[in-house]
Amino acid sequence: MTTAQLVLAASPGAGVLDSDTRGMVLVGFLAFIVPILFICVLSGPARDRVDDFYTAGRALSPLRGALVLSGVYLSAATVLGTTGSVAVFGYDGLFIALCTVLSLGVLLLLAGPLRERGLYTFGDIFALRAPGPAVRIAVAVVTLSVCVPYLVVQLSGAGVTTAMLLGLSGPGPEQTSMVMIGLLVVCATTFGGMRGMITLQVLKTVVLLGMALVVAAVVLDRFGWSTDSLIQAAGQGSGRPALYAQPGLRFADPGGAEGTLDYIGLMVSIVLGVACLPHVAMQLNTAPDAAAARRTVRHTIGMVGAFCLTTAVLGFGAAALVGARKILAADPGATSTLLMLTGDLASGSSTRDAWLVVLVSCAVFLTTLAVVASVTLAAAGAVAHDLVTHVLRRGRTTEGREVAAARMASAGVGLLSIGLAVWVQGWNVGFLSALALAVAASCLLPALVYSLFWSRYTRAGLLWTLYGGLFSAIGLQISGPVFSGTPMALLPDWHFDWFPLQTVVLVSIPVAFLLGGLGSIAGRRRAAAYNEHIPA
């Protein structure tokens, strides 16, 4: 059963939502999403100014900025994946939710320096340490290596869900839905810029938090508002009540040390990778100054923390009402847990049940749209600002020409992602999200730490960090069990899975730090040798 079917399906024994209810869900869904996209386009900058397009004039208050940053942080993977992890793995799922909040702690440490040194992209930050086109090209390559896989995963999932909401199934309708959604996002990003993204993210955060509170209240009402009863029922529904409230369930199955290392690697990927995603760091540039950026992150910690608490209630409710066995049977990744829970809660055909499904459907879909739009804008910035403006044109351009380049880059990145999503339709591309986090943690984090806090960091060290982290993360991921050699791999019939771990950051991050240090030492020695041979 697909994700969208799970949205529209009731619990076993209750049948499925009838045609009238399905029609109400579709009408409510379209009536909600289309105006939001229209508002996003109308919120775009009135003039072709670079500062307006990339940063909305750097005038966001900390509270409004926190609503936007919370929207950026709470991706579909966080909303759906964390709920599933809590439902299936209990204590370990709660720890995954905690890691999302902890990643904001990392961002809080970086917020001030990033805002002080940042202009529009990561390229601007690193160019302060090592000016020149080579660094700009390297940063753009890394940024696109993070953003494009992320976009493909988001568009693939949204296309399948939308097709089923329309009552369709099969490759053709799903691919058509991907194209339709992608084009909507391209239009919103191209014409709305950062101002449009701010409107979209604020609405998304409000709707998402409202949805979580409503569904959590319905779940608690089922158990007489007794959290003890809910947790006890969740333990029974997990099938392993003795282990559900204890750490280690996530890797208690056969796998030994590899399972433990994979789990630790997942935590490291979330804590370090999410904080360094380009569209997350880019959002800090909308704050007026470094102090406002830090206050924005502090407010965001409260909002994301509150959402993670409600996620715990939703996960427990899914384990208790649906059961871990049914969740894993329908979706081994457990990402459809929230939608299955909604189907169980809306087991009748009343108007209230239909509106509950509408609310959850709109929140999940709006989450996907907002993430796709913000990632597209970050990728467009790397292409237009770093490659076009500073590499091809050597900085000799006008604001109007750069904004035009940014709009064209938004369209180009969006169309490329749409084409890739359509091409890989039906493949198991879930590992691409983990790949994006691994690249961000392996390339951008070491480069930022060195650039911001080590005065002896050189241009050679920066390039070694970026390219070394990129090649090690991608190479190890391709050589691992998520790419080939296992039934759930992208290419299950191929066998070049010599690397035993599914997560690669435990190796790729140290490699990037080591290469950065070695490259800086080698660069200083080369510079010293060159200076010795220059006549006085």
Side-chain angles (χ1 to χ4, degrees):
M1 184 177 286
T2 66
T3 295
Q5 284 174 314
L6 294 169
V7 175
L8 299 174
S11 59
V16 295
L17 298 176
D18 57 31
S19 58
D20 292 338
T21 305
R22 183 188 291 265
M24 184 177 179
V25 168
L26 180 59
V27 171
F29 181 81
L30 295 177
F32 181 79
I33 295 297
V34 173
I36 285 180
L37 289 174
F38 189 65
I39 292 172
C40 178
V41 172
L42 292 181
S43 301
R47 293 175 293 176
D48 285 343
R49 296 182 57 183
V50 176
D51 202 50
D52 276 348
F53 189 85
Y54 288 131
T55 67
R58 306 182 192 275
L60 281 190
S61 65
L63 182 57
R64 193 179 179 200
L67 287 171
V68 176
L69 188 57
S70 297
V72 171
Y73 240 77
L74 296 173
S75 66
T78 302
V79 174
L80 301 177
T82 305
T83 303
S85 296
V86 173
V88 176
F89 303 118
Y91 181 96
D92 288 345
L94 293 176
F95 198 74
I96 291 175
L98 176 62
C99 286
T100 303
V101 182
L102 290 177
S103 67
L104 280 166
V106 176
L107 187 63
L108 181 60
L109 296 175
L110 298 174
L114 283 176
R115 178 59 189 87
E116 287 175 350
R117 295 166 175 80
L119 188 60
Y120 304 123
T121 66
F122 273 124
D124 294 323
I125 298 174
F126 296 134
L128 295 176
R129 171 71 64 176
V135 170
R136 294 276 186 178
I137 293 172
V139 174
V141 169
V142 170
T143 300
L144 292 175
S145 298
V146 173
C147 293
V148 173
Y150 215 80
L151 289 172
V152 171
V153 174
Q154 298 294 327
L155 286 172
S156 297
V160 174
T161 302
T162 304
M164 294 308 301
L165 281 171
L166 297 172
L168 304 172
S169 62
E174 291 172 1
Q175 291 172 339
T176 302
S177 299
M178 292 176 198
V179 174
M180 178 186 68
I181 296 166
L183 291 178
L184 288 175
V185 172
V186 166
C187 291
T189 307
T190 301
F191 297 105
M194 180 58 76
R195 291 187 183 277
M197 292 311 98
I198 288 173
T199 302
L200 184 60
Q201 295 290 1
V202 169
L203 290 172
K204 171 253 181 107
T205 301
V206 172
V207 172
L208 188 61
L209 290 175
M211 176 276 293
L213 290 174
V214 169
V215 179
V218 175
V219 169
L220 289 172
D221 185 64
R222 284 282 188 99
F223 293 90
W225 294 89
S226 171
T227 54
D228 290 339
S229 299
L230 173 61
I231 295 174
Q232 184 177 3
Q236 295 297 325
S238 71
R240 292 172 285 187
L243 300 175
Y244 192 69
Q246 299 179 10
L249 186 59
R250 174 65 176 81
F251 48 88
D253 295 328
E258 293 177 4
T260 303
L261 291 174
D262 271 328
Y263 186 68
I264 295 173
L266 175 62
M267 302 300 103
V268 173
S269 296
I270 295 173
V271 173
L272 301 182
V274 175
C276 296
L277 289 172
H279 64 288
V280 172
M282 184 178 177
Q283 198 59 54
L284 295 175
N285 293 328
T286 60
D289 51 43
R294 287 190 289 268
R295 288 197 299 272
T296 295
V297 178
R298 291 193 188 100
H299 293 328
T300 304
I301 291 174
M303 295 179 185
V304 173
F307 179 81
C308 288
L309 286 177
T310 60
T311 297
V313 175
L314 300 181
F316 289 145
L321 298 175
V322 181
R325 182 175 300 177
K326 292 179 181 177
I327 292 172
L328 294 175
D331 176 14
T335 56
S336 59
T337 301
L338 175 61
L339 308 179
M340 295 182 73
L341 173 63
T342 305
D344 187 279
L345 296 175
S347 57
S349 58
S350 66
T351 301
R352 186 197 65 179
D353 295 334
W355 280 115
L356 181 64
V357 177
V358 170
L359 178 61
V360 174
S361 302
C362 289
V364 172
F365 190 76
L366 188 57
T367 296
T368 302
L369 285 181
V371 170
V372 170
S374 60
V375 176
T376 301
L377 187 61
V383 173
H385 186 68
D386 290 324
L387 294 182
V388 176
T389 297
H390 287 280
V391 175
L392 295 180
R393 295 175 179 170
R394 302 285 181 174
R396 296 186 293 270
T397 188
T398 63
E399 288 197 84
R401 292 179 68 186
E402 181 166 347
V403 171
R407 295 186 193 280
M408 293 180 63
S410 298
V413 170
L415 293 175
L416 173 63
S417 302
I418 293 170
L420 291 174
V422 170
W423 179 47
V424 301
Q425 191 273 335
W427 294 15
N428 182 16
V429 296
F431 82 98
L432 291 176
S433 294
L435 176 62
L437 291 179
V439 172
S442 304
C443 300
L444 298 175
L445 175 71
L448 283 173
V449 171
Y450 277 143
S451 295
L452 298 177
F453 305 112
W454 189 28
S455 60
R456 297 172 66 83
Y457 196 44
T458 66
R459 174 180 175 276
L462 178 57
L463 293 175
W464 284 30
T465 302
L466 293 174
Y467 285 123
L470 177 64
F471 292 143
S472 62
I474 295 179
L476 291 174
Q477 196 81 67
I478 292 176
S479 304
V482 297
F483 194 80
S484 68
T486 61
M488 296 301 296
L490 178 66
L491 303 172
D493 296 328
W494 293 22
H495 295 278
F496 42 87
D497 50 327
W498 59 267
F499 186 70
L501 302 180
Q502 298 182 35
T503 55
V504 302
V505 293
L506 296 182
V507 177
S508 59
I509 291 178
V511 166
F513 272 108
L514 178 61
L515 290 174
L518 293 176
S520 295
I521 294 172
R524 288 196 301 271
R525 289 178 177 176
R526 188 182 303 114
Y530 177 77
N531 291 332
E532 288 178 358
H533 290 83
I534 296 178

